[in-house]
């Protein structure tokens, strides 16, 4: 908004409301909820004028939806900041999110679906003295629900784009990057039995190169001893190595990633657990599946002990060929394999760990193939085959023996037909075969075979009608062979989407980026509203 030389700036933001009513159902595990309706809501408002940006977020959890931490209960403005930005520098006071490199030693972020928000409340500056060089410095405390963690975080990060810094020395077809980060945290030692380090230092170094045909980057991180609740007071150092690569060709793409992680669960409070006060992030080595039965058993990254590899190959069968058909066919193969690292306990507080050593225990394996084909201007199909091995004790029970490993096979058939009047009909059929190798059999709602049938009718561009039935017909307990029937209507206009639904939703685990939370079963009406402006 600008009038007669006066610039009033601009306002933008977004809003999200999620609400759920609850009807108890002891058989499917839907609990009694006193409030009957629970909701999560927030609105972000950002004002910008020239180099100044002011923002805040109002949040409302009265009371939080089941599956989110009950300590979120309340309402208020936990996130606010002011930033001043010019070409060469930037300063922020208040709350901010930040990531150094791949996040191995620092990542402050928000993930609404998981209820994670470890924003740093403090001071941050960025300095760009010459082209290709950026330095970031910060100090502050992590958010934990409606308060701040006790630990004080201090960090610095340097990114160098060599091609911008030395344009005459670098080859034209390659771009080289270097980077380094350092993070320390301070927390007083109040332990009456153990001597805790009050200052813990971590650092990392990274390098990368990208061209028209390939991209490779790697980062190594080191952390001094940091006994805490998640590593069971181990005084070992921490180390992590992440390597990511991708290669491109005519109709084909290959991505190969690997990491080795030892004792790298970093929190700004040594007593924090679950999803509290994360300081860092380990990118997961698995495909993020979108279909209901392919995501029954998702990988939860093990920050203190994990080695893994992921390969993905994408190939476009040429259009007009006998196999590719008139419009071509896309094949996507993905393989992920995750193990423990090789360690031996020395005593209660230390262990031996061989750098890059891999243990014998498999946490997770995912082999899947997707085939996407467009048969005509109106009809297309997607098929998915998936095989998973999932150590349920490690992923859901902190390693305590109860469930054993799950061996799962899934097939998905997805077909969509477009009508001439802008309407479309989509159907999904999914089936999951699974067994567990545990000798302990306890009645619960997550075992055996499943079938899933979904039908969705769309009136473009605004209306979506969906109904599905998810049937756990192979449950060990015949009384728990439940139909989870659900229906919803969604309306989309501009940047606003409203969805209302009703039915049963199974309990389980939801993961985003390898971080997970348990989702209890529910039975009732749900509402979702999102909008940006």
């Amino acid at each position: 908004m600008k009038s007669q030389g006066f610039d009033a700036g601009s306002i933008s933001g977004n809003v999200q409301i999620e609400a759920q009513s609850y009807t108890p159902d002891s058989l499917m595990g839907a609990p009694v909820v006193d409030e009957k309706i629970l909701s999560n809501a927030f609105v972000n408002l950002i004002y910008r004028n020239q180099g100044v940006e002011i923002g805040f977020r109002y949040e409302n959890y009265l009371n939080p939806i089941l599956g989110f931490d009950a300590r979120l209960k309340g309402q208020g403005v936990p996130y606010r900041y002011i930033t001043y930005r010019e070409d060469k520098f930037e300063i922020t006071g208040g709350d901010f999110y930040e990531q150094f490199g791949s996040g191995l030693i620092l990542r402050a972020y928000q993930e609404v679906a998981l209820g994670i928000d470890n924003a740093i409340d403090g001071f941050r500056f960025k300095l760009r003295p010459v082209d290709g060089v950026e330095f970031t410095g910060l100090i502050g405390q992590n958010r934990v629900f409606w308060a701040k963690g006790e630990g004080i975080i201090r960090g610095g990060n340097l990114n160098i784009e060599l091609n911008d810094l030395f344009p005459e020395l670098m080859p034209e077809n390659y771009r080289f990057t270097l980077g380094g980060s350092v993070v320390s945290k301070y927390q007083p030692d109040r332990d009456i039995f153990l001597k805790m380090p009050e200052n813990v230092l971590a650092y990392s170094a990274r390098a990368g190169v990208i061209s028209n045909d390939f991209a490779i980057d790697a980062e190594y991180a080191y952390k001094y001893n940091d006994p805490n609740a998640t590593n069971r007071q181990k005084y070992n150092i921490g180390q992590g190595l992440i390597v990511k690569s991708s290669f491109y060709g005519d109709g084909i793409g290959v991505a190969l990633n690997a990491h080795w992680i030892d004792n790298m669960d970093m929190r700004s409070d040594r007593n924090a657990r679950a999803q509290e006060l994360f300081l860092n992030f380990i990118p997961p080595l698995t495909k993020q599946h979108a279909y209901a039965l392919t995501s029954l058993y998702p990988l939860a990254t093990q920050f203190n002990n994990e080695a893994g590899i992921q390969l993905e190959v994408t190939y476009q069968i040429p259009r007009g060929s006998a196999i590719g058909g008139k419009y071509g066919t896309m094949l996507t193969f993905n393989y992920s394999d995750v193990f423990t690292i090789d360690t031996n306990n020395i005593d209660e507080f230390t262990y031996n760990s061989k750098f890059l050593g891999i243990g014998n225990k498999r946490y997770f394996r995912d082999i899947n193939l997707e085939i996407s084909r467009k048969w005509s201007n109106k009809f297309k199909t997607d098929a998915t085959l998936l095989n998973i091995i999932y150590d349920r004790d490690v992923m859901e029970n902190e390693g305590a023996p109860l469930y054993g490993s799950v061996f799962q096979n899934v097939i998905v058939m997805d077909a969509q037909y477009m009508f001439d009047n802008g309407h479309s009909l989509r159907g999904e059929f999914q089936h999951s075969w699974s067994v567990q190798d545990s000798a302990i059999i306890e009645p619960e709602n997550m075992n055996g075979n499943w079938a899933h049938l979904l039908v969705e009718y769309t009136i473009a561009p605004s209306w979506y009608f969906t109904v599905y039935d998810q049937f756990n017909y192979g449950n060990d307990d015949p009384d728990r062979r439940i139909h989870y029937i659900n229906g919803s209507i969604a309306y989309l206009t501009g940047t606003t989407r409203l969805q209302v639904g009703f039915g049963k939703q199974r309990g389980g685990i939801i993961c985003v980026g390898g971080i997970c939370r348990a989702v209890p079963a529910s039975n009732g009406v749900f509402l979702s509203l999102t909008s940006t402006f």
Side-chain angles (χ1 to χ4, degrees), residues 80-82 91-97 119-125 137-143 148 152-153:
R80 74 285 180 268
Y81 69 92
I82 180 169
I91 56 174
T92 298
D95 299 285
F96 55 86
Y97 300 110
I120 297 174
D121 184 7
F123 177 80
R124 177 185 64 186
F125 72 93
L138 61 84
I139 184 170
Q141 294 170 284
N142 279 133
R143 176 187 176 185
K148 307 299 176 187
I152 297 174
I153 309 156

Side-chain angles (χ1 to χ4, degrees), residues 174-435:
Y174 299 88
R175 289 194 65 83
F176 296 89
T177 59
L178 296 174
S181 309
V182 60
V183 171
S184 78
K185 65 172 184 175
Y186 169 78
Q187 184 181 14
D189 177 14
R190 297 189 179 88
D191 197 296
I192 60 175
F193 298 107
L194 302 174
K195 178 63 175 177
M196 294 292 181
E198 294 187 324
N199 290 278
V200 175
L201 179 69
Y203 59 82
S204 69
R206 56 190 177 274
V209 58
I210 184 170
S211 76
N212 293 329
D213 303 318
F214 70 91
I216 299 176
D217 64 81
E219 181 170 13
Y220 169 79
Y222 182 97
K223 181 189 70 166
Y224 286 84
N225 68 87
D226 178 27
N228 58 63
T230 65
N231 70 7
R232 300 178 183 177
Q233 317 302 341
K234 294 294 189 292
Y235 281 73
N236 281 62
I237 64 165
Q239 294 186 90
L241 177 65
I242 295 177
V243 180
K244 296 182 288 185
S245 61
S246 53
F247 309 89
Y248 326 107
D250 186 14
I252 189 169
V254 179
L256 180 62
N257 305 318
H259 70 213
W260 185 89
I261 305 297
D262 177 16
N263 194 26
M264 286 300 293
D265 191 322
M266 295 175 61
R267 315 275 179 138
S268 59
D269 187 319
R270 66 176 70 90
N271 300 310
R273 297 181 62 87
Q275 299 168 348
E276 303 171 10
L277 295 166
F278 276 115
L279 258 184
N280 66 334
F281 175 77
I282 311 294
L285 287 174
T286 183
K287 190 180 183 72
Q288 301 292 302
H289 294 291
Y291 291 104
L293 298 187
T294 58
S295 56
L296 279 178
Y297 301 108
L299 170 68
T301 304
Q302 305 302 302
F303 280 45
N304 282 328
N305 187 323
E306 181 176 296
I309 189 169
Q310 181 183 24
L311 169 69
E312 180 162 297
V313 180
T314 303
Y315 178 65
Q316 171 83 46
I317 301 176
R319 297 180 179 182
S321 64
I323 301 177
K326 181 179 179 181
Y327 298 92
T329 300
M330 179 68 75
L331 306 178
T332 303
F333 171 78
N334 185 277
Y335 169 79
S336 300
D337 217 348
V338 180
F339 288 82
T340 177
I341 64 172
D342 187 8
T343 61
N344 293 294
N345 281 330
I346 298 175
D347 54 41
E348 183 180 357
F349 301 109
T350 54
Y351 60 86
N352 278 326
S353 174
K354 181 181 178 182
F355 183 60
L356 299 184
I358 300 176
N360 297 320
K361 185 176 178 61
R362 172 178 273 143
Y363 290 152
F364 182 86
R365 191 191 71 187
D366 179 354
I367 304 173
N368 61 82
L369 174 67
E370 294 181 4
I371 306 171
S372 300
R373 179 158 182 156
K374 186 176 180 180
W375 300 86
S376 70
N377 286 329
K378 297 181 178 180
F379 185 59
K380 65 177 183 179
T381 59
D382 295 280
T384 300
L385 301 171
L386 174 143
N387 172 268
I388 277 183
I389 299 176
Y390 174 87
D391 190 324
R392 194 173 173 190
D393 292 331
V394 171
M395 301 296 164
E396 302 180 20
N397 210 33
E398 296 189 345
L402 178 59
Y403 304 108
S405 290
V406 176
F407 302 84
Q408 182 196 32
N409 291 294
V410 180
I411 183 171
V412 178
M413 297 298 298
D414 185 327
Q416 182 175 18
Y417 185 83
M418 303 285 293
F419 298 96
D420 292 332
N421 55 3
H423 297 196
S424 66
L425 179 65
R426 189 174 74 87
E428 282 179 19
F429 172 74
Q430 306 175 40
H431 190 274
S432 168
W433 298 264
S434 67
V435 295

